[in-house]
Amino acid sequence: MHSPDSRRLFLRRLASLAAVPLLAPACSRSQSPEGDGRASSASPQGSAPPAPSQSAPAAPAQNAPAAKVKLALNWVPEPEFGGFYAARESGAFAKEGFDVEILGGGAGVPVVQMVAGGQVDFGISGADEVLTARARGADVLPLLAVFQTSPQAIMTHESRGAKSIADILKSGTLAIEPGLPYAAYLKKKYGFNKVKVVPYDGGVARFVADKDFSQQCFITAEPIAAKRKGSDPATFLVASEGFNPYVVVVITRAALWKENPERVRAFVRATREGWRTYLQDPTRSNEIMAKLNTSMDAETFVAAAEAQRPLIETPETKEKGLGVMTSERWETLAKQLVDLGVLEKAPSIDEVLVATR
């Protein structure tokens, strides 16, 4: 989440991949805020520069030196990435033999392209973006999904008395990016003929000023901003309507998996341990991220970390482990993307999930 007046909080960047052109992912941040970081050699020319990175704590002396790897985030350091910083700061990565450089992202940073092209070893994406990329030839593989429930939602005013997204779409104004898959899903399910659809500008100023105004949001972001400005946000998850792609999905290139599957498994183990640490106590990781992302204040870091907890830690993850993914969820998403015309043909889910077997 970010707090410049003009571009407020958690706006998912639209993927603009040169080598692997993609449609925008379901959870979109349309523009990077100011001060997102400095340029990195891993950033393709013309993309937004990633935030500063810090080297991981040194691994204990062993026969083999720690493997230096790069992890590319698709947004700037925020609580949605807290477990990765926790894995680094707690030594979980080092214990598995990794020296991890975390590259902060921003608007337009083509993470999928960077992973597929070998510029970075691991990256963060969304499940719908992974399927779209594979359908277009990018040989990337998902490894685990941090968010079991997508934080994408529609935000309206509590004073309107809406009980569901269907109620929101019966009147008023809705700010939404119509090209996103979840927007197409809602339009197909309910229609937008009764609501005035306007472009999403990434802020909450219009929402605060207009009681008939609703907008897309992340429940861990814009509602917090609106509430702090004295508004009365009520949020409804798109996931509750049946469209629920995994979010903050760790990906790698298929070649790395084929060449060194144990290294990939070790990265997954360390990541899970990092997220367990972050969920237990996010304080240290929030402090580290706050130094890299000065546009977010400490109070917002705390609020976002707490708001996202039930989206990450679920009964299923408690039984099967953090980051668990099921073929059924991926199959459902693939069918939805085909039905919406995002994909002409869905890729083989067995091949997509080969690194999770």
Side-chain angles (χ1 to χ4, degrees):
M1 295 175 294
H2 311 277
S3 50
D5 290 341
S6 62
R7 306 305 274 177
R8 178 70 169 153
L9 296 174
F10 234 113
L11 310 178
R12 179 71 63 178
R13 85 285 177 274
L14 298 179
S16 56
L17 307 186
V20 187
L22 300 178
L23 293 178
C27 32
S28 172
R29 289 174 178 151
S30 56
Q31 183 168 329
S32 173
E34 296 177 0
D36 280 357
R38 299 174 178 83
S40 165
S41 60
S43 297
Q45 186 177 0
S47 67
S53 61
Q54 297 179 351
S55 296
Q62 297 176 353
N63 292 334
K68 294 183 179 295
V69 300
K70 293 181 179 181
L71 168 66
L73 308 182
N74 57 356
W75 196 243
V76 298
E78 295 185 346
E80 64 170 316
F81 307 120
F84 304 109
Y85 286 92
R88 193 186 65 186
E89 299 306 317
S90 69
F93 280 141
K95 185 174 68 175
E96 293 287 354
F98 292 108
D99 179 359
V100 178
E101 181 181 7
I102 302 176
L103 304 177
V109 174
V111 173
V112 173
Q113 180 184 345
M114 292 164 68
V115 173
Q119 292 173 280
V120 297
D121 306 279
F122 302 94
I124 304 301
S125 186
D128 56 333
E129 190 176 359
V130 171
L131 291 177
T132 304
R134 284 192 61 87
R136 300 190 179 195
D139 204 9
V140 294
L141 300 173
L143 304 175
L144 79 161
V146 175
F147 279 72
Q148 300 294 300
T149 302
S150 171
Q152 190 69 59
I154 301 298
M155 179 172 75
T156 193
H157 289 271
E158 189 174 345
S159 58
R160 291 185 65 189
K163 303 299 181 183
S164 66
I165 290 179
D167 291 340
I168 296 173
L169 298 179
K170 291 178 181 178
S171 63
T173 300
L174 174 66
I176 195 168
E177 296 177 57
L180 300 176
Y182 82 88
Y185 178 85
L186 292 177
K187 183 176 182 180
K188 184 170 184 177
K189 185 172 184 178
Y190 294 116
F192 287 171
N193 57 309
K194 295 180 180 179
V195 66
K196 180 182 178 181
V197 176
V198 298
Y200 177 54
D201 67 4
V204 297
R206 287 191 64 185
F207 180 86
V208 172
D210 186 350
K211 293 295 184 181
D212 289 324
F213 190 87
S214 304
Q215 68 175 69
Q216 69 178 63
C217 70
F218 272 41
I219 65 167
T220 54
E222 288 91 344
I224 295 173
K227 191 170 184 179
R228 292 180 66 178
K229 289 180 178 291
S231 193
D232 61 337
T235 57
F236 299 89
L237 286 168
V238 176
S240 299
E241 299 293 337
F243 190 79
N244 186 27
Y246 290 117
V247 177
V248 187
V249 177
V250 179
I251 62 174
T252 192
R253 62 187 182 279
L256 179 58
W257 165 253
K258 293 174 183 176
E259 294 166 4
N260 200 335
E262 182 49 40
R263 175 175 291 188
V264 174
R265 293 189 186 101
F267 190 87
V268 169
R269 287 195 300 268
T271 296
R272 285 201 173 103
E273 183 175 335
W275 273 103
R276 282 192 291 269
T277 298
Y278 187 78
L279 291 169
Q280 290 170 2
D281 185 0
T283 305
R284 175 58 180 159
S285 297
N286 282 351
E287 290 173 351
I288 296 297
M289 291 186 289
K291 293 177 181 179
L292 303 172
N293 176 14
T294 57
S295 64
M296 181 186 292
D297 59 43
E299 183 180 347
T300 303
F301 264 104
V302 172
E306 188 59 31
Q308 72 184 21
R309 180 184 298 273
L311 308 182
I312 296 170
E313 196 171 33
T314 67
E316 187 173 23
T317 65
K318 290 178 180 178
E319 177 185 352
K320 301 178 180 179
L322 290 171
V324 63
M325 301 185 298
T326 68
S327 57
E328 291 78 13
R329 286 275 301 272
W330 282 91
E331 290 280 6
T332 296
L333 176 61
K335 291 177 182 177
Q336 289 174 327
L337 294 178
V338 171
D339 186 50
L340 293 171
V342 175
L343 297 180
E344 182 177 340
K345 181 181 179 181
S348 166
I349 299 304
D350 285 340
E351 294 179 3
V352 169
L353 298 181
V354 65
T356 67
R357 307 305 187 192

